[in-house]
Amino acid sequence: MKTLHVDLGERSYPIYIGHGLLQHQELLQQHIHSRQVMIVSNSTVAPLYLQRVADCLEENLLATVILPDGEQFKTLESTSTIFDALLEKRFSRNATLIALGGGVIGDIGGFAAACYQRGIAFVQIPTTLLAQVDSSVGGKTGVNHALGKNMIGAFYQPRCVIADTGVLETLDDRQFSAGIAEVIKYGLIRDQAFFHWLENNLQALLARDKQALAYAIERSCRNKAEVVAADEQESGIRATLNLGHTFGHAIETGAGYGRFLHGEAVAIGTCQAADLSRRLGWLDAADVARIVSIFQEARLPVIPPQDLSAQRFLELMAVDKKNIDGKIRLILLESIGSATLPVSVDKQPLHETLKQYGRN
Ligand code: NAD
Ligand code: GLY
């Protein structure tokens, strides 16, 4: 097992990474300081892993909430379902909520924990690759709104993250690839050596080679933990974790939540960001080709949906948390391994990317 730390003073917490960690009951138990524990999961993950987590809790487990599966259920309504159960069971302020699932469950569960009685303890047990390398770490929680992705939320850190890499064995290939999109992101924004490693080891990663997978998860979490420790509430460098996300969120919202997986939309969005970075003279064509090619090798889409016009993209991109005074701001690449802070770009190159990238 590897243990990393997110260094946030009194709110610092460990990220445990290893195969079979859910069998080690003491790992979770040491972070539960209450007799009232709720597990929030979904209809796909609960039948697979809920019992394993419940076994660690014994008589302290008072409630489980099993939400329907899917990005389209990352809503205030799902959050309310959790509040109903917490109140019906008279959960107190010292209770603990455990989010067991992918990024959707982690984001909803964390948001419910942040709001219930102004904040109860929560634990992340991420079960997708994407959640293990990104969403479970760093305390961004929240839900979608019909008009914008992740628009309702809170920064709220977990007490610990338990990433049992064994649970990834039941993840299908499409979801696994979606997680790789966020792994590639770390290489692109701040870790050139990791990008090279990924170029050389992608096939091993796709084959879920245990060593390659453990290395990629650990290195991703290390990158994320460093960024979050430096800028918890995104006043600066944390925004770089959003490379490709402004385009990507527009794709997710515009196409309808659930049509593109988050990681797929991020892969397309990152290729658009790379194209725009080239138009601005930062990347050269060979860099863009390498970026597109690694996403393709990871079996991810790189072309935006043809039914999303440039105009619609712009409307959707206008609803983004990085924007200031209504102006679209984007994370772009100065080189492979170095991202910009949010920048406003001239309309013309942005229009060119939206009109030409991926279109005939
Ligand atoms: P997800 O939570 O929808 O999970 C993907 C699918 O895999 C679901 O059908 C789920 O039921 C299933 N699944 C989960 N674990 C499984 C397992 N072990 N075996 C079999 N099936 C399993 O999607 P995701 O990709 O994990 O997360 C995407 C979400 O995360 C998006 O809503 C995105 O906005 C959010 N996100 C948040 C942050 C953050 O910092 N909070 C960062 C990145 C992404
Ligand atoms: N996934 C972006 C962030 O955590 O800031």
Side-chain angles (χ1 to χ4, degrees), residues 54-114:
D55 288 346
C56 304
L57 301 167
E58 297 164 353
E59 75 277 6
N60 290 343
L61 179 64
L62 278 192
T64 54
V65 172
I66 311 300
L67 296 170
D69 184 1
E71 182 75 34
Q72 63 275 35
F73 299 105
K74 191 172 138 179
T75 56
L76 279 173
E77 199 184 345
S78 294
T79 320
S80 250
T81 305
I82 300 172
F83 295 148
D84 291 348
L86 286 164
L87 282 162
E88 276 160 19
K89 299 271 183 184
R90 305 276 185 271
F91 268 61
S92 313
R93 212 172 186 180
N94 69 333
T96 300
L97 186 154
I98 297 173
L100 171 70
V104 168
I105 287 298
D107 281 10
I108 305 173
F111 184 51

Side-chain angles (χ1 to χ4, degrees), residues 160-179:
C160 73
V161 178
I162 302 177
D164 179 343
T165 54
V167 305
L168 301 180
E169 282 161 15
T170 51
L171 200 61
D172 70 33
D173 285 343
R174 186 178 169 202
Q175 296 290 352
F176 191 81
S177 286

